[in-house]
Amino acid sequence: DFVEISDRVSLKIKEIKKAQTELIEIQNMCKHTETEIRNISSPGLTFALRKVCSDCEKILAYPTTEESNKWMS
């Protein structure tokens, strides 16, 4: 059973890596014409505001202070 579980885990990790690579390729083709400020979960932080493409959801930048204040109000 351990070998079977290990094989299944390895397969899923490979599938995830492949999907992540495909996602990056798609996001790199996007023109990022529309952006929005989103509250993104980030390890070790309660929240992190980021400027995100509305189409492909790629994190593009940190919002300006003005954009952050507008988002919070």
Side-chain angles (χ1 to χ4, degrees):
D1 282 343
F2 175 76
V3 173
E4 180 182 320
I5 291 172
S6 178
D7 289 344
R8 288 173 59 194
V9 168
S10 294
L11 178 61
K12 286 299 171 190
I13 290 171
K14 287 178 187 176
E15 289 173 359
I16 290 168
K17 287 181 181 181
K18 181 179 178 188
Q20 288 172 330
T21 300
E22 291 173 6
L23 175 60
I24 290 168
E25 290 172 0
I26 293 166
Q27 289 174 325
N28 287 340
M29 291 187 293
C30 183
K31 304 257 188 256
H32 313 304
T33 55
E34 306 238 353
T35 63
E36 57 191 73
I37 306 302
R38 288 197 193 164
N39 185 7
I40 303 294
S41 62
S42 183
L45 300 173
T46 53
F47 72 93
L49 293 181
R50 297 292 185 265
K51 190 179 289 190
V52 176
C53 177
S54 299
D55 293 324
C56 73
E57 300 189 14
K58 182 177 182 175
I59 298 172
L60 301 172
Y62 293 100
T64 64
T65 302
E66 182 179 312
E67 289 170 327
S68 295
N69 291 339
K70 183 178 177 182
W71 184 86
M72 289 185 199
S73 60

